[in-house]
Amino acid sequence: KNEVEQSPQNLTAQEGEFITINCSYSVGISALHWLQQHPGGGIVSLFMLSSGKKKHGRLIATINIQEKHSSLHITASHPRDSAVYICAVRLRWEVNNDMRFGAGTRLTVKP
Amino acid sequence: KAGVTQTPRYLIKTRGQQVTLSCSPISGHRSVSWYQQTPGQGLQFLFEYFSETQRNKGNFPGRFSGRQFSNSRSEMNVSTLELGDSALYLCASSLGAGAAYEQYFGPGTRLTVT
């Protein structure tokens, strides 16, 4: 079983819909990151979380440390949100402090 | 500020050769991390450097190595290339090392091994 699991793997939405992408992890972490990757490969860091909730524009990220679960929400989705969204965790120092990644969620938003 | 730059952007090599990839971090950033992305394995952590010292290394064979220079620029080297080394290699820079710092990714170097 992967240490970082994302769901769904693929998601198709109509413009304007509310979108949720989920990430569960099974290891002790010091931080969780949500990344966005567009075709062509460039990666943008959307959020870095260690607790609670963060909001940037139409994007909201939450994390529940006790349940080892995080969600990324996109409100009023737009075709330009079409991308692969990747959940990544930084392992705790006492493990080895490196990064582990989910397989990604491919989001397509249709106009 | 200029973003993270990686050179070259595309590279084709033959099995058995070696390759060196370069990463220039954002000015003022002292930490550089390297990642490999393949369709089969997804993103995997290679190593992290801070102030010219390797802090962490992922689960990759010794053919993969790296270094960081005093100006924070970093290089990674892969020796004795195998077909499975074909991948997108990404570097990311941050102000410091560890969980408290956001990472900024470069555009990647796409390596094809034939």
Side-chain angles (χ1 to χ4, degrees):
Chain A
K1 189 177 188 294
N2 290 338
E3 292 164 312
V4 183
E5 297 275 1
Q6 280 185 243
S7 63
Q9 280 187 295
N10 294 284
L11 182 55
T12 300
Q14 289 297 129
E15 184 173 357
E17 285 185 357
F18 181 87
I19 287 161
T20 296
I21 300 170
N22 295 299
C23 175
S24 296
Y25 53 92
S26 56
V27 291
I29 70 168
S30 53
L32 181 142
H33 300 251
W34 281 103
L35 310 173
Q36 180 193 55
Q37 186 171 33
H38 281 284
I43 289 180
V44 174
S45 176
L46 298 174
F47 294 101
M48 183 176 68
L49 294 159
S50 54
S51 65
K53 175 179 174 177
K54 287 189 176 180
K55 184 176 188 290
H56 290 155
R58 296 180 294 107
L59 302 178
I60 302 166
T62 64
I63 187 168
N64 185 317
I65 298 293
Q66 287 71 33
E67 294 186 4
K68 296 189 174 179
H69 181 268
S70 176
S71 293
L72 175 68
H73 305 286
I74 304 175
T75 62
S77 60
H78 191 277
R80 65 175 175 267
D81 297 326
S82 298
V84 176
Y85 292 83
I86 300 168
C87 172
V89 299
R90 167 81 70 163
L91 302 186
R92 295 180 67 87
W93 262 113
E94 54 266 34
V95 180
N96 63 10
N97 197 235
D98 71 7
M99 296 280 285
R100 303 288 165 86
F101 298 87
T105 295
R106 185 175 299 277
L107 171 65
T108 303
V109 182
K110 295 184 174 180
Chain B
K1 271 187 184 177
V4 179
T5 57
Q6 293 187 243
T7 55
R9 292 292 311 279
Y10 302 91
L11 202 48
I12 299 175
K13 289 285 190 179
T14 304
R15 265 183 306 176
Q17 288 186 315
Q18 76 160 13
V19 67
T20 299
L21 311 181
S22 181
C23 173
S24 292
I26 290 171
S27 178
H29 285 196
R30 296 173 62 193
S31 178
V32 173
S33 298
W34 287 90
Y35 303 95
Q36 181 197 64
Q37 187 176 36
T38 60
Q41 299 294 321
L43 269 165
Q44 293 182 278
F45 169 76
L46 278 159
F47 19 68
E48 178 182 31
Y49 287 88
F50 177 75
S51 293
E52 302 178 68
T53 301
Q54 187 180 88
R55 283 171 47 92
N56 286 302
K57 189 176 193 299
N59 190 23
F60 278 81
R63 301 184 296 107
F64 291 81
S65 63
R67 58 179 175 168
Q68 187 180 33
F69 301 95
S70 58
N71 62 358
S72 295
R73 189 178 69 85
S74 178
E75 289 180 347
M76 66 162 281
N77 183 276
V78 188
S79 62
T80 320
L81 284 165
E82 301 177 359
L83 294 179
D85 297 333
S86 294
L88 179 67
Y89 290 87
L90 293 151
C91 81
S93 76
S94 55
L95 277 169
Y101 298 94
E102 186 167 1
Q103 295 197 324
Y104 297 81
F105 285 81
T109 294
R110 190 165 295 280
L111 171 66
T112 302
V113 182
T114 61

Short mmCIF file of all heavy atoms in Angstrom, two decimals, chain A residues 14-64:
data_model
loop_
_atom_site.label_atom_id
_atom_site.label_comp_id
_atom_site.label_asym_id
_atom_site.label_seq_id
_atom_site.Cartn_x
_atom_site.Cartn_y
_atom_site.Cartn_z
N GLN A 14 -17.89 20.07 -14.75
CA GLN A 14 -18.35 21.18 -15.57
C GLN A 14 -17.92 22.49 -14.91
O GLN A 14 -17.85 22.59 -13.69
CB GLN A 14 -19.88 21.15 -15.70
CG GLN A 14 -20.43 20.03 -16.56
CD GLN A 14 -19.97 20.15 -18.02
OE1 GLN A 14 -19.47 19.20 -18.60
NE2 GLN A 14 -20.15 21.34 -18.59
N GLU A 15 -17.66 23.45 -15.76
CA GLU A 15 -17.28 24.77 -15.25
C GLU A 15 -18.27 25.24 -14.20
O GLU A 15 -19.49 25.15 -14.38
CB GLU A 15 -17.21 25.76 -16.41
CG GLU A 15 -16.73 27.14 -16.01
CD GLU A 15 -16.52 28.07 -17.21
OE1 GLU A 15 -16.69 27.60 -18.36
OE2 GLU A 15 -16.18 29.24 -16.99
N GLY A 16 -17.74 25.76 -13.09
CA GLY A 16 -18.59 26.28 -12.04
C GLY A 16 -18.82 25.30 -10.90
O GLY A 16 -19.28 25.71 -9.82
N GLU A 17 -18.52 24.02 -11.11
CA GLU A 17 -18.76 23.02 -10.07
C GLU A 17 -17.75 23.16 -8.93
O GLU A 17 -16.63 23.65 -9.10
CB GLU A 17 -18.68 21.61 -10.66
CG GLU A 17 -19.90 21.22 -11.47
CD GLU A 17 -19.85 19.77 -11.94
OE1 GLU A 17 -18.84 19.08 -11.67
OE2 GLU A 17 -20.82 19.32 -12.58
N PHE A 18 -18.17 22.66 -7.76
CA PHE A 18 -17.31 22.58 -6.58
C PHE A 18 -16.59 21.23 -6.63
O PHE A 18 -17.21 20.20 -6.83
CB PHE A 18 -18.16 22.69 -5.32
CG PHE A 18 -17.39 22.64 -4.04
CD1 PHE A 18 -16.86 23.79 -3.49
CD2 PHE A 18 -17.22 21.43 -3.37
CE1 PHE A 18 -16.15 23.75 -2.30
CE2 PHE A 18 -16.52 21.38 -2.17
CZ PHE A 18 -15.99 22.54 -1.63
N ILE A 19 -15.27 21.27 -6.46
CA ILE A 19 -14.44 20.06 -6.62
C ILE A 19 -13.72 19.75 -5.33
O ILE A 19 -13.24 20.67 -4.64
CB ILE A 19 -13.42 20.29 -7.75
CG1 ILE A 19 -14.13 20.25 -9.09
CG2 ILE A 19 -12.31 19.25 -7.72
CD1 ILE A 19 -13.35 20.89 -10.20
N THR A 20 -13.66 18.47 -5.00
CA THR A 20 -12.89 18.03 -3.84
C THR A 20 -11.95 16.90 -4.24
O THR A 20 -12.38 15.93 -4.90
CB THR A 20 -13.80 17.53 -2.71
OG1 THR A 20 -14.60 18.62 -2.25
CG2 THR A 20 -12.99 16.97 -1.56
N ILE A 21 -10.70 17.02 -3.87
CA ILE A 21 -9.68 15.98 -4.06
C ILE A 21 -9.17 15.60 -2.69
O ILE A 21 -8.91 16.46 -1.85
CB ILE A 21 -8.52 16.49 -4.93
CG1 ILE A 21 -9.05 16.90 -6.32
CG2 ILE A 21 -7.44 15.42 -5.07
CD1 ILE A 21 -8.03 17.63 -7.17
N ASN A 22 -9.08 14.29 -2.45
CA ASN A 22 -8.71 13.79 -1.13
C ASN A 22 -7.34 13.15 -1.11
O ASN A 22 -6.89 12.59 -2.12
CB ASN A 22 -9.76 12.77 -0.66
CG ASN A 22 -11.11 13.39 -0.46
OD1 ASN A 22 -11.26 14.29 0.37
ND2 ASN A 22 -12.10 12.94 -1.22
N CYS A 23 -6.70 13.24 0.05
CA CYS A 23 -5.37 12.67 0.24
C CYS A 23 -5.32 12.05 1.63
O CYS A 23 -5.64 12.71 2.62
CB CYS A 23 -4.32 13.76 0.12
SG CYS A 23 -2.63 13.24 0.47
N SER A 24 -4.96 10.77 1.69
CA SER A 24 -4.75 10.09 2.96
C SER A 24 -3.33 9.57 3.03
O SER A 24 -2.77 9.15 2.01
CB SER A 24 -5.72 8.90 3.10
OG SER A 24 -7.05 9.35 3.13
N TYR A 25 -2.76 9.61 4.22
CA TYR A 25 -1.37 9.17 4.37
C TYR A 25 -1.26 8.28 5.60
O TYR A 25 -2.09 8.35 6.51
CB TYR A 25 -0.42 10.36 4.45
CG TYR A 25 -0.79 11.38 5.49
CD1 TYR A 25 -0.27 11.31 6.78
CD2 TYR A 25 -1.66 12.43 5.18
CE1 TYR A 25 -0.61 12.24 7.74
CE2 TYR A 25 -2.01 13.36 6.14
CZ TYR A 25 -1.49 13.27 7.41
OH TYR A 25 -1.83 14.18 8.37
N SER A 26 -0.25 7.45 5.60
CA SER A 26 -0.14 6.44 6.66
C SER A 26 1.14 6.59 7.48
O SER A 26 1.45 5.73 8.31
CB SER A 26 -0.18 5.04 6.05
OG SER A 26 0.85 4.88 5.09
N VAL A 27 1.86 7.69 7.28
CA VAL A 27 3.12 7.89 7.97
C VAL A 27 3.06 9.17 8.80
O VAL A 27 2.19 10.01 8.58
CB VAL A 27 4.30 7.99 6.97
CG1 VAL A 27 4.55 6.64 6.32
CG2 VAL A 27 4.03 9.05 5.90
N GLY A 28 4.00 9.29 9.73
CA GLY A 28 4.08 10.51 10.51
C GLY A 28 4.69 11.62 9.67
O GLY A 28 5.72 11.42 9.04
N ILE A 29 4.03 12.77 9.65
CA ILE A 29 4.49 13.84 8.77
C ILE A 29 4.73 15.12 9.56
O ILE A 29 4.21 15.32 10.66
CB ILE A 29 3.51 14.12 7.62
CG1 ILE A 29 2.22 14.77 8.14
CG2 ILE A 29 3.18 12.83 6.86
CD1 ILE A 29 1.34 15.34 7.02
N SER A 30 5.55 15.97 8.98
CA SER A 30 5.73 17.30 9.56
C SER A 30 5.03 18.36 8.73
O SER A 30 4.78 19.46 9.22
CB SER A 30 7.22 17.63 9.69
OG SER A 30 7.87 17.45 8.45
N ALA A 31 4.71 18.06 7.48
CA ALA A 31 3.98 19.00 6.63
C ALA A 31 3.38 18.26 5.44
O ALA A 31 3.87 17.20 5.04
CB ALA A 31 4.88 20.12 6.13
N LEU A 32 2.33 18.84 4.88
CA LEU A 32 1.70 18.29 3.69
C LEU A 32 1.62 19.40 2.66
O LEU A 32 1.33 20.56 2.98
CB LEU A 32 0.29 17.77 4.03
CG LEU A 32 -0.50 17.12 2.88
CD1 LEU A 32 -1.30 15.92 3.41
CD2 LEU A 32 -1.39 18.10 2.17
N HIS A 33 1.90 19.05 1.41
CA HIS A 33 1.89 20.01 0.32
C HIS A 33 0.85 19.59 -0.73
O HIS A 33 0.68 18.40 -1.01
CB HIS A 33 3.25 20.05 -0.39
CG HIS A 33 4.39 20.44 0.49
ND1 HIS A 33 5.03 21.66 0.39
CD2 HIS A 33 5.02 19.78 1.48
CE1 HIS A 33 6.01 21.73 1.28
NE2 HIS A 33 6.03 20.58 1.96
N TRP A 34 0.20 20.57 -1.30
CA TRP A 34 -0.61 20.35 -2.50
C TRP A 34 0.10 21.04 -3.67
O TRP A 34 0.44 22.24 -3.58
CB TRP A 34 -2.01 20.91 -2.34
CG TRP A 34 -2.92 20.01 -1.54
CD1 TRP A 34 -3.31 20.16 -0.24
CD2 TRP A 34 -3.55 18.82 -2.02
NE1 TRP A 34 -4.14 19.13 0.12
CE2 TRP A 34 -4.31 18.29 -0.95
CE3 TRP A 34 -3.57 18.13 -3.23
CZ2 TRP A 34 -5.08 17.12 -1.04
CZ3 TRP A 34 -4.33 16.98 -3.35
CH2 TRP A 34 -5.06 16.49 -2.26
N LEU A 35 0.33 20.27 -4.73
CA LEU A 35 1.03 20.76 -5.91
C LEU A 35 0.11 20.69 -7.12
O LEU A 35 -0.78 19.83 -7.19
CB LEU A 35 2.28 19.90 -6.17
CG LEU A 35 3.21 19.65 -5.00
CD1 LEU A 35 4.30 18.65 -5.39
CD2 LEU A 35 3.83 20.95 -4.52
N GLN A 36 0.33 21.59 -8.07
CA GLN A 36 -0.42 21.59 -9.32
C GLN A 36 0.58 21.44 -10.48
O GLN A 36 1.58 22.16 -10.53
CB GLN A 36 -1.18 22.90 -9.47
CG GLN A 36 -2.01 23.01 -10.74
CD GLN A 36 -2.49 24.45 -10.96
OE1 GLN A 36 -1.68 25.38 -11.01
NE2 GLN A 36 -3.79 24.64 -11.09
N GLN A 37 0.28 20.50 -11.36
CA GLN A 37 1.16 20.27 -12.50
C GLN A 37 0.35 20.36 -13.79
O GLN A 37 -0.57 19.59 -14.02
CB GLN A 37 1.85 18.91 -12.42
CG GLN A 37 2.89 18.69 -13.52
CD GLN A 37 3.73 17.44 -13.30
OE1 GLN A 37 3.24 16.45 -12.77
NE2 GLN A 37 4.98 17.49 -13.72
N HIS A 38 0.75 21.31 -14.64
CA HIS A 38 0.09 21.49 -15.93
C HIS A 38 0.79 20.65 -16.98
O HIS A 38 1.96 20.26 -16.81
CB HIS A 38 0.10 22.96 -16.33
CG HIS A 38 -0.94 23.76 -15.64
ND1 HIS A 38 -2.27 23.71 -16.01
CD2 HIS A 38 -0.89 24.61 -14.60
CE1 HIS A 38 -2.97 24.51 -15.24
NE2 HIS A 38 -2.16 25.07 -14.37
N PRO A 39 0.12 20.37 -18.11
CA PRO A 39 0.78 19.67 -19.22
C PRO A 39 2.07 20.39 -19.59
O PRO A 39 2.12 21.61 -19.61
CB PRO A 39 -0.24 19.77 -20.35
CG PRO A 39 -1.55 19.95 -19.67
CD PRO A 39 -1.26 20.70 -18.40
N GLY A 40 3.12 19.63 -19.86
CA GLY A 40 4.41 20.25 -20.08
C GLY A 40 5.31 20.11 -18.87
O GLY A 40 6.52 20.26 -18.98
N GLY A 41 4.73 19.80 -17.72
CA GLY A 41 5.53 19.40 -16.58
C GLY A 41 5.71 20.39 -15.45
O GLY A 41 6.03 19.98 -14.35
N GLY A 42 5.49 21.70 -15.68
CA GLY A 42 5.78 22.66 -14.62
C GLY A 42 4.93 22.42 -13.38
O GLY A 42 3.73 22.17 -13.48
N ILE A 43 5.55 22.48 -12.22
CA ILE A 43 4.85 22.25 -10.95
C ILE A 43 4.82 23.54 -10.16
O ILE A 43 5.83 24.24 -10.04
CB ILE A 43 5.55 21.15 -10.13
CG1 ILE A 43 5.34 19.78 -10.79
CG2 ILE A 43 5.00 21.11 -8.70
CD1 ILE A 43 5.98 18.61 -10.06
N VAL A 44 3.63 23.82 -9.62
CA VAL A 44 3.45 24.98 -8.75
C VAL A 44 2.99 24.48 -7.39
O VAL A 44 2.10 23.63 -7.31
CB VAL A 44 2.40 25.94 -9.35
CG1 VAL A 44 2.11 27.07 -8.37
CG2 VAL A 44 2.89 26.50 -10.67
N SER A 45 3.60 24.99 -6.33
CA SER A 45 3.16 24.66 -4.99
C SER A 45 1.96 25.51 -4.65
O SER A 45 2.03 26.75 -4.69
CB SER A 45 4.30 24.90 -4.01
OG SER A 45 3.88 24.66 -2.68
N LEU A 46 0.83 24.85 -4.32
CA LEU A 46 -0.40 25.58 -4.00
C LEU A 46 -0.49 25.89 -2.52
O LEU A 46 -0.84 27.00 -2.12
CB LEU A 46 -1.61 24.77 -4.44
CG LEU A 46 -1.74 24.47 -5.92
CD1 LEU A 46 -2.93 23.53 -6.16
CD2 LEU A 46 -1.90 25.75 -6.73
N PHE A 47 -0.25 24.87 -1.70
CA PHE A 47 -0.36 25.01 -0.26
C PHE A 47 0.69 24.18 0.44
O PHE A 47 1.08 23.13 -0.04
CB PHE A 47 -1.74 24.51 0.25
CG PHE A 47 -2.91 25.31 -0.21
CD1 PHE A 47 -3.71 24.86 -1.25
CD2 PHE A 47 -3.24 26.50 0.41
CE1 PHE A 47 -4.79 25.58 -1.67
CE2 PHE A 47 -4.33 27.24 0.00
CZ PHE A 47 -5.12 26.78 -1.05
N MET A 48 1.09 24.66 1.61
CA MET A 48 1.88 23.87 2.55
C MET A 48 1.15 23.96 3.88
O MET A 48 0.88 25.05 4.37
CB MET A 48 3.29 24.44 2.68
CG MET A 48 4.20 23.65 3.57
SD MET A 48 5.86 24.32 3.60
CE MET A 48 5.59 25.86 4.46
N LEU A 49 0.79 22.80 4.45
CA LEU A 49 -0.04 22.74 5.64
C LEU A 49 0.61 21.88 6.70
O LEU A 49 1.15 20.82 6.40
CB LEU A 49 -1.39 22.07 5.31
CG LEU A 49 -2.36 22.74 4.38
CD1 LEU A 49 -3.32 21.70 3.83
CD2 LEU A 49 -3.13 23.80 5.12
N SER A 50 0.50 22.30 7.95
CA SER A 50 0.82 21.39 9.03
C SER A 50 -0.36 21.22 9.97
O SER A 50 -0.38 20.31 10.81
CB SER A 50 2.05 21.87 9.81
OG SER A 50 1.84 23.20 10.24
N SER A 51 -1.35 22.10 9.84
CA SER A 51 -2.57 21.97 10.63
C SER A 51 -3.64 22.88 10.03
O SER A 51 -3.32 23.82 9.30
CB SER A 51 -2.33 22.35 12.09
OG SER A 51 -2.00 23.72 12.18
N GLY A 52 -4.90 22.57 10.32
CA GLY A 52 -6.00 23.48 10.03
C GLY A 52 -6.36 23.64 8.57
O GLY A 52 -6.54 22.66 7.85
N LYS A 53 -6.48 24.87 8.16
CA LYS A 53 -7.07 25.19 6.86
C LYS A 53 -6.38 26.42 6.28
O LYS A 53 -6.01 27.33 7.02
CB LYS A 53 -8.55 25.46 7.09
CG LYS A 53 -9.36 25.93 5.92
CD LYS A 53 -10.83 26.12 6.40
CE LYS A 53 -11.69 26.72 5.33
NZ LYS A 53 -13.10 26.84 5.78
N LYS A 54 -6.21 26.42 4.94
CA LYS A 54 -5.68 27.60 4.26
C LYS A 54 -6.52 27.88 3.01
O LYS A 54 -7.08 26.95 2.41
CB LYS A 54 -4.21 27.39 3.85
CG LYS A 54 -3.23 27.42 5.01
CD LYS A 54 -1.80 27.44 4.52
CE LYS A 54 -0.84 27.56 5.69
NZ LYS A 54 0.58 27.58 5.25
N LYS A 55 -6.58 29.14 2.64
CA LYS A 55 -7.39 29.55 1.48
C LYS A 55 -6.60 30.53 0.63
O LYS A 55 -6.02 31.49 1.14
CB LYS A 55 -8.70 30.19 1.98
CG LYS A 55 -9.69 30.57 0.89
CD LYS A 55 -10.97 31.09 1.52
CE LYS A 55 -12.08 31.31 0.49
NZ LYS A 55 -11.82 32.42 -0.40
N HIS A 56 -6.57 30.25 -0.68
CA HIS A 56 -5.99 31.18 -1.65
C HIS A 56 -7.00 31.32 -2.78
O HIS A 56 -7.18 30.40 -3.57
CB HIS A 56 -4.68 30.66 -2.25
CG HIS A 56 -3.53 30.62 -1.30
ND1 HIS A 56 -2.47 29.77 -1.46
CD2 HIS A 56 -3.28 31.32 -0.19
CE1 HIS A 56 -1.62 29.94 -0.47
NE2 HIS A 56 -2.09 30.88 0.31
N GLY A 57 -7.67 32.45 -2.84
CA GLY A 57 -8.65 32.66 -3.91
C GLY A 57 -9.73 31.61 -3.87
O GLY A 57 -10.41 31.44 -2.86
N ARG A 58 -9.86 30.85 -4.97
CA ARG A 58 -10.92 29.82 -5.04
C ARG A 58 -10.46 28.48 -4.49
O ARG A 58 -11.21 27.50 -4.51
CB ARG A 58 -11.35 29.66 -6.50
CG ARG A 58 -11.99 30.89 -7.12
CD ARG A 58 -12.40 30.66 -8.57
NE ARG A 58 -11.24 30.47 -9.43
CZ ARG A 58 -10.88 29.29 -9.93
NH1 ARG A 58 -11.61 28.20 -9.69
NH2 ARG A 58 -9.81 29.18 -10.69
N LEU A 59 -9.24 28.40 -4.02
CA LEU A 59 -8.69 27.13 -3.53
C LEU A 59 -8.68 27.12 -2.01
O LEU A 59 -8.32 28.13 -1.38
CB LEU A 59 -7.27 26.93 -4.05
CG LEU A 59 -7.07 26.90 -5.56
CD1 LEU A 59 -5.60 26.73 -5.89
CD2 LEU A 59 -7.88 25.80 -6.20
N ILE A 60 -9.10 25.98 -1.45
CA ILE A 60 -9.09 25.79 0.00
C ILE A 60 -8.44 24.43 0.27
O ILE A 60 -8.76 23.44 -0.39
CB ILE A 60 -10.51 25.77 0.58
CG1 ILE A 60 -11.24 27.08 0.23
CG2 ILE A 60 -10.48 25.56 2.09
CD1 ILE A 60 -12.74 27.00 0.46
N ALA A 61 -7.53 24.40 1.24
CA ALA A 61 -6.92 23.13 1.65
C ALA A 61 -7.12 22.95 3.14
O ALA A 61 -6.98 23.91 3.91
CB ALA A 61 -5.44 23.10 1.29
N THR A 62 -7.46 21.72 3.52
CA THR A 62 -7.65 21.40 4.93
C THR A 62 -6.83 20.16 5.26
O THR A 62 -6.52 19.35 4.39
CB THR A 62 -9.13 21.12 5.25
OG1 THR A 62 -9.54 19.96 4.52
CG2 THR A 62 -10.01 22.29 4.87
N ILE A 63 -6.49 20.05 6.52
CA ILE A 63 -5.78 18.86 6.98
C ILE A 63 -6.28 18.47 8.36
O ILE A 63 -6.53 19.35 9.20
CB ILE A 63 -4.24 19.06 6.98
CG1 ILE A 63 -3.53 17.75 7.28
CG2 ILE A 63 -3.82 20.15 7.96
CD1 ILE A 63 -2.03 17.79 7.02
N ASN A 64 -6.48 17.17 8.56
CA ASN A 64 -6.84 16.62 9.85
C ASN A 64 -5.71 15.68 10.26
O ASN A 64 -5.59 14.56 9.74
CB ASN A 64 -8.18 15.88 9.77
CG ASN A 64 -8.66 15.40 11.12
OD1 ASN A 64 -7.89 14.88 11.92
ND2 ASN A 64 -9.94 15.56 11.38
#
